Amino acid sequence: MTNRSISLLDRLIGQFDQALHAVFGPAPHPARDNPAAGKNDPALTAAERELSGRLMRINHVGEICAQALYQGQALTARLPEVRGKMEQAAQEENDHLAWTEQRIHELGSHVSYLNPLWYAGSFALGALAGAVGDKWSLGFVAETEKQVVNHLTGHLAQLPAADDKSRAILEQMRDDEGRHATVAIESGGAALPEPVKQWMQCNSKIMTRTAYWI
C-alpha cells in the first residue's frame, strides 16, 4: 500500500474542522487535570461572580485566538519541525480552552458571541506570520505569549480575592504561556520590530475590551 502525502487541500480541510470544533463544538477533553479541581467553590457576591465571569470570558477568547494563530502558522510554516511545534502548542492550548470554558459556565456566564470573528482574524494573522518566514513566525509566537503572560498577570490582580478556582487556572495558564514563549525563542524566533509589537498590543486591547462585554 502506498503512503498518501498530505496536500495543502488536506491541511485546509483539517484546519476548517479544527475551527468548527474550537468555535462551535464543546470544549475539547483536556489532557491534564483542571488546576481548579479540589479547590473550594468560593462564596462570591453577584458582582464578584460577574467580574470573574467576564475576566474568564476574555481569557477564553484568548485561547480561541491562540488556537487560530497556531493553526494558521502551522498551515504556512516552511520547515516541518516548525510546523510540528505550532501544532503541539495548539494541542496544549486545548487544556486552557477547556478549563476556561468550564469555569465560565460554573460562574453562570457565557463565552463571547464574537468567537467566530476572533478565530477568523487570528487564523489570518497566523497564516500571514507563517508565510513571511519561520523565524518571524516563531518571533510572533514569542511576542504574543509574552503579552499574554502580562495580560494574565493583570487579570490575577483583578480577580476577587476569594476566587481560588479561577486563580488556579490563570496561574497554570501563565506558566504554560511563558514556556511557549521560551520554546519559540530557543527555536530561532526573531525579535519583532517595535511598531509591530505596539500594533499587537493595540489589537489586544480592542479584543479584551470588546470580549469583556460581548
Side-chain angles (χ1 to χ4, degrees):
M1 178 184 291
T2 11
N3 291 328
R4 183 175 179 274
S5 60
I6 304 297
S7 68
L8 178 60
L9 178 60
D10 292 325
R11 295 210 300 273
L12 284 170
I13 293 171
Q15 299 294 351
F16 184 67
D17 181 65
Q18 290 273 4
L20 289 177
H21 280 289
V23 176
F24 299 109
H29 185 72
R32 294 174 291 173
D33 291 336
N34 191 324
K39 300 283 184 186
N40 292 328
D41 202 10
L44 301 175
T45 66
E48 288 174 334
R49 291 182 74 83
E50 183 179 2
L51 173 60
S52 287
R54 291 183 188 277
L55 294 177
M56 294 307 286
R57 177 162 64 243
I58 292 172
N59 289 296
H60 182 267
V61 166
E63 295 311 316
I64 290 285
C65 292
Q67 289 286 319
L69 281 169
Y70 284 126
Q71 295 295 345
Q73 287 170 300
L75 180 68
T76 55
R78 290 172 171 79
L79 297 176
E81 58 268 28
V82 173
R83 185 180 300 123
K85 289 180 187 298
M86 297 301 177
E87 290 170 345
Q88 180 184 355
Q91 287 298 318
E92 292 174 353
E93 298 286 356
N94 276 341
D95 291 347
H96 303 170
L97 195 64
W99 298 341
T100 52
E101 183 170 326
Q102 180 181 343
R103 186 62 185 144
I104 285 169
H105 293 321
E106 290 173 352
L107 291 163
S109 192
H110 62 83
V111 299
S112 174
Y113 298 126
L114 300 179
N115 277 343
L117 176 65
W118 305 133
Y119 192 99
S122 297
F123 184 88
L125 278 176
L128 177 62
V132 169
D134 288 335
K135 71 174 185 177
W136 297 112
S137 181
L138 288 165
F140 186 77
V141 169
E143 181 58 30
T144 298
E145 299 292 26
K146 284 179 186 176
Q147 293 188 16
V148 169
V149 167
N150 292 336
H151 159 85
L152 289 168
T153 300
H155 274 199
L156 283 164
Q158 293 177 60
L159 277 176
D163 193 355
D164 292 334
K165 296 190 81 168
S166 297
R167 189 174 307 281
I169 292 170
L170 296 191
E171 285 175 346
Q172 183 60 58
M173 287 171 59
R174 184 174 61 177
D175 290 346
D176 292 344
E177 308 296 11
R179 180 169 48 80
H180 290 165
T182 301
V183 168
I185 293 168
E186 290 175 349
S187 299
L192 299 184
E194 195 58 36
V196 175
K197 294 180 183 179
Q198 292 174 3
W199 174 78
M200 291 169 66
Q201 289 172 348
C202 180
N203 279 345
S204 176
K205 285 179 183 175
I206 293 171
M207 183 272 287
T208 54
R209 288 174 183 174
T210 306
Y212 183 86
W213 297 105
I214 303 175

